[in-house]
Amino acid sequence: MAIFLTKDSRVLVQGMTGSEGARHTSRMLAAGTNVVAGVTPGKGGRTVDFGERTVPVFGSVAEAVGETGADVSVVFVPPRFTGAAVEETVAAAVPLCVVITEGVPVHDAIRFRALARGGGTRVIGPNCPGLISPGQSSAGIIPADITAAGRIGLVSKSGTLTYQLMYELRDLGFSTAVGIGGDPVIGTTHIDCLQAFQDDPGTDAIVMIGEIGGDAEERAAAYISANITKPVVAYVAGFTAPEGRTMGHAGAIVSGSSGTAQAKKEALEAAGVRVGRTPSETARLLRSAPAVT
């Protein structure tokens, strides 16, 4: 089992004819993803050869969906075109839209998130690595060769830490790993993934990765306390962040004690979540969870 993405998912790639889109489409195909279409305005009717698979290119998402039955879109387009790309996906009633693009204007993200929620499309991202259900399908840029299929669920703000925890726990393996992105405005939250993993019979335990800034982790802690019965371990990036310094992610805004790694750790621990001080310690905590041992 898995959440959001399975072997039956039919994936289209917006921007597949660009260099990044083509490179990561090749990697997705190698991971077993059923990529059925590319979408690039003005290039409909072409095909792209990926060796063992030739993928047709369509001029619009609606045309691609109509011809191929695609139910997942992965967006690799420049930031100024991302809003329109997501809106086109929503208009075509695609259930899942994975937005890899970094640097999307906040006002665009606000607009397409609201549109997607009203239209029934789940958006993951923007500025995220996507998601992978190992052995089944990959939608985004997460390396498929660093882990294996298993029964751990992973939800993370950080792309790099997604990869590290997947590697640290590669012998146990994952049902699904979801990189939700660290921007101030994102489509899918920690809470959305936590509940999906709770409902997934193929997931026994959950790893949650957060980072300094905002209150998403505190809200997740409250939700875990009230709704999640499976074991959860967590890591919060930023314990060593210097006070008063601007950090990398757009969402990493700390005000006083609010949003600090320590405040998030305390909120999670109050909800019964064990929190590691390092990724390696977090992996060790997961290994000792009752559902895993």
Side-chain angles (χ1 to χ4, degrees):
M1 299 294 288
I3 68 168
F4 307 151
L5 186 75
T6 72
K7 60 182 177 57
D8 297 320
S9 298
R10 300 176 64 81
V11 176
L12 68 84
V13 180
Q14 293 180 259
M16 189 182 74
T17 56
S19 60
E20 289 297 306
R23 180 159 60 95
H24 289 293
T25 297
S26 181
R27 292 180 175 181
M28 286 188 278
L29 287 165
T33 307
N34 185 18
V35 179
V36 298
V39 174
T40 303
K43 295 187 177 181
R46 302 184 185 185
T47 60
V48 178
D49 184 8
F50 291 99
E52 294 184 1
R53 185 77 170 265
T54 299
V55 180
V57 179
F58 298 89
S60 71
V61 173
E63 185 182 2
V65 171
E67 292 290 330
T68 68
D71 54 13
V72 178
S73 174
V74 185
V75 178
F76 288 101
V77 303
R80 66 184 181 277
F81 302 127
T82 298
V86 177
E87 290 170 12
E88 187 180 356
T89 301
V90 175
V94 177
L96 177 64
C97 182
V98 183
V99 186
I100 307 301
T101 308
E102 182 178 1
V104 175
V106 173
H107 62 275
D108 285 352
I110 292 171
R111 186 179 67 251
F112 68 62
R113 182 178 69 174
L115 185 68
R117 287 177 175 175
T121 295
R122 173 177 298 282
V123 171
I124 296 177
N127 187 19
C128 77
L131 70 163
I132 183 171
S133 298
Q136 298 193 58
S137 187
S138 174
I141 63 175
I142 298 175
D145 58 355
I146 59 173
T147 195
R151 301 182 66 84
I152 301 169
L154 172 64
V155 53
S156 174
K157 272 186 177 181
S158 165
T160 303
L161 291 172
T162 299
Y163 311 153
Q164 182 168 353
L165 264 297
M166 289 173 67
Y167 182 76
E168 295 257 7
L169 296 166
R170 63 194 180 280
D171 57 315
L172 296 178
F174 293 81
S175 54
T176 303
V178 187
I180 59 175
D183 279 5
V185 178
I186 57 174
T188 295
T189 67
H190 285 116
I191 290 172
D192 296 328
C193 294
L194 288 164
Q195 187 59 57
F197 284 131
Q198 173 72 20
D199 295 338
D200 176 32
T203 299
D204 292 336
I206 305 166
V207 180
M208 185 185 113
I209 302 174
E211 62 187 11
I212 58 173
D215 66 348
E217 293 79 6
E218 288 89 343
R219 285 185 280 115
Y223 191 86
I224 290 167
S225 180
N227 298 280
I228 306 300
T229 60
K230 293 179 180 180
V232 182
V233 302
Y235 173 66
V236 180
F239 277 103
T240 60
E243 187 174 349
R245 294 283 294 278
T246 300
M247 304 307 290
H249 265 176
I253 300 170
V254 178
S255 177
S257 62
S258 176
T260 64
Q262 185 61 34
K264 294 175 186 297
K265 179 177 185 291
E266 291 171 1
L268 287 162
E269 288 179 338
V273 177
R274 292 187 294 172
V275 181
R277 294 279 304 191
T278 67
S280 294
E281 182 185 356
T282 306
R284 289 194 295 271
L285 291 173
L286 189 280
R287 290 180 185 282
S288 66
V292 177
T293 56

